[in-house]
Amino acid sequence: MSKLVIQIPCYNEEEELKATLDEIPKTLEGFDEVEIMIVDDGSTDATVEIAREYGGIHVVSLPYHMGLAKAFTVGIETALRRGADVILNTDADNQYCAGSIPDLVQPILDGKAQMVIGARPVRTDRNMSLVKRALQVIGSWVVRQASGTDIADAPSGFRAIHRDAALRLFVYSNYTYTLETIIQAGRKNIPVVSVPVNVNPPTRPSRLVRSNLSYVWRSLTTILRILLLYKPLRSFLALAVVLGLFAGVIGLRFLYFYFMGDGSGHVQSLLAGVALAVIAALSLTVGIVCDIIAANRLLLEDIRYRLLKQELENTDRKE
C-alpha cells in the first residue's frame, strides 16, 4: 500500500475541526503517504478557512449543503482520483478516537478485508441513551440480515475502504451512507469485517439523529429501499406469499361455510379473499418486472465501475 486518504465530511464544524485534525496521525505504518481531505458540505461558518489555515489539507467544497451521503460519495470519488489505495472515513466532531486508525486499516493491509467498519462500544457507552443503544443494536442486526455480513456496529461512520471496493460502491440514499454501503458490499461479495474502536466523549448532539423516531423511520426506509433495489423479486415474492396465504385462509373459510349451507352470509369474505389474491398476483408481477430492471441497473453499475477504473488508470499512466 502506498497512499492513505483520510476523508472528513464537514458541515459547520468550526468548533471541533481543529481538535479532530490535531488527533489524526500524519504518518502511518504501511503507507508511504497519508493525506487528509476535508469534504465541505456547503458550510456557512469558518470550517473551510480553519482547514486551509491548518495546512497540508486538501479541501473539496460542494456548491451547497447536499447531505452526508452525497458528501461521502464525492469524497470517495475524489480520493480515488487523488491516487488513494485506502480511504478512511471519520467524523469531524472527533467522535472516533484517532488512536484506533491503525487497527482500522490493519485488516486491509493484511489482505483479510476490503472494507473495515469500526465497532463502537455501543452496549457499554454511557454517553448514549438506553433507547439509542437499543436502536443501534437492533439496526445492526437488521443490516446483518439484509447484507449477509457480520458487522457489529452498522451505523458507524468510522471505516476504511480498499480502492477496489470503493470503485464498486455507489450511494443512492440522500440520508446516510453507513447502512447502504454495508448492504451493497454484502450483495457484491466484498469482504467486510469490523474491529473494535474507541470513542471520545460527545462534543455536540448528533445532527443526523434528530429524534429516535426519526432515526428509526429513516433507517428502515433506507434498508427497505436497498432491499427493493438489490432483492426485488425476493421482497415482492415474500409479500405475494403472505397475501396469498391470507387469501387462501379466507377462501377456505368461505368454502367451509358454503358447504355447511351458510355461504350467502359470507360473501364479504369471498370478496376479500379474491382481492388479496389479485394483489398477491400483482406483487409477484411487480417483483418480476423490478428484477429485470435491477439486472439492468447492475449492468449500469458495472459500466460505471469500468469507466471510473479506466479513468483512474489513464490518470496514473499520465503521471
Side-chain angles (χ1 to χ4, degrees):
M1 298 296 174
S2 58
K3 185 172 184 177
L4 170 69
V5 173
I6 301 176
Q7 73 168 33
I8 310 174
C10 292
Y11 177 62
N12 292 341
E13 298 287 0
E14 63 179 3
E15 294 182 3
E16 308 301 333
L17 182 57
K18 188 176 185 304
T20 301
L21 294 174
D22 286 340
E23 296 294 324
I24 292 177
K26 307 307 183 286
T27 61
L28 199 63
E29 185 177 353
F31 296 96
D32 299 325
E33 181 182 357
V34 176
E35 178 180 297
I36 301 174
M37 181 176 69
I38 297 298
V39 185
D40 170 43
D41 186 20
S43 297
T44 56
D45 63 359
T47 295
V48 174
E49 288 76 6
I50 290 172
R52 287 175 176 158
E53 289 173 1
Y54 195 89
I57 308 292
H58 180 72
V59 178
V60 181
S61 293
L62 303 185
Y64 54 90
H65 181 51
M66 304 177 74
L68 179 59
K70 185 64 176 179
F72 174 83
T73 301
V74 170
I76 290 292
E77 292 188 359
T78 304
L80 288 171
R81 291 188 173 97
R82 293 186 65 80
D85 295 289
V86 177
I87 304 165
L88 187 140
N89 187 85
T90 188
D91 285 356
D93 62 358
N94 205 28
Q95 173 189 175
Y96 304 107
C97 183
S100 296
I101 288 178
D103 297 330
L104 203 62
V105 300
Q106 196 59 48
I108 295 179
L109 292 173
D110 294 339
K112 296 179 179 179
Q114 288 199 338
M115 181 186 291
V116 185
I117 312 297
R120 298 164 292 180
V122 174
R123 296 177 185 271
T124 58
D125 188 356
R126 300 304 173 187
N127 292 313
M128 284 187 183
S129 68
L130 183 60
V131 173
K132 188 175 180 180
R133 276 184 279 160
L135 291 174
Q136 297 278 33
V137 171
I138 294 170
S140 296
W141 178 85
V142 172
V143 171
R144 286 197 295 273
Q145 304 310 306
S147 64
T149 61
D150 186 22
I151 300 303
D153 184 12
S156 171
F158 196 32
R159 52 185 61 194
I161 308 172
H162 188 275
R163 177 188 183 91
D164 292 340
L167 280 167
R168 295 185 177 277
L169 298 177
F170 183 80
V171 180
Y172 293 92
S173 172
N174 293 323
Y175 176 53
T176 180
Y177 60 88
T178 55
L179 310 182
E180 184 172 354
T181 48
I182 294 174
I183 295 173
Q184 280 191 23
R187 290 289 296 156
K188 296 179 180 182
N189 297 316
I190 295 173
V192 185
V193 300
S194 62
V195 297
V197 296
N198 297 318
V199 294
N200 297 314
T203 55
R204 60 165 173 76
S206 172
R207 292 172 180 162
L208 196 64
V209 183
R210 296 182 180 179
S211 69
N212 291 330
L213 183 60
S214 171
Y215 174 74
V216 170
W217 173 251
R218 301 190 76 169
S219 296
L220 285 177
T221 54
T222 297
I223 293 170
L224 179 60
R225 184 183 182 202
I226 298 304
L227 285 175
L228 293 177
L229 279 171
Y230 284 91
K231 298 182 179 180
L233 182 58
R234 183 179 299 183
S235 301
F236 282 104
L237 179 60
L239 178 60
V241 168
V242 172
L243 293 175
L245 287 175
F246 276 109
V249 170
I250 292 173
L252 290 174
R253 179 177 180 273
F254 171 79
L255 289 175
Y256 169 78
F257 285 109
Y258 177 81
F259 286 112
M260 293 295 291
D262 191 24
S264 60
H266 297 276
V267 176
Q268 296 89 341
S269 297
L270 178 61
L271 293 175
V274 171
L276 288 175
V278 170
I279 297 174
L282 288 174
S283 296
L284 179 59
T285 303
V286 170
I288 293 172
V289 173
C290 289
D291 194 57
I292 296 172
I293 295 173
N296 289 330
R297 181 186 48 73
L298 290 175
L299 289 174
L300 291 174
E301 284 186 0
D302 187 61
I303 291 172
R304 174 189 174 274
Y305 162 75
R306 292 173 184 273
L307 289 174
L308 185 55
K309 185 177 180 181
Q310 185 176 21
E311 176 191 338
L312 297 175
E313 289 174 351
N314 290 339
T315 301
D316 291 341
R317 291 194 193 100
K318 290 179 183 179
E319 293 177 354

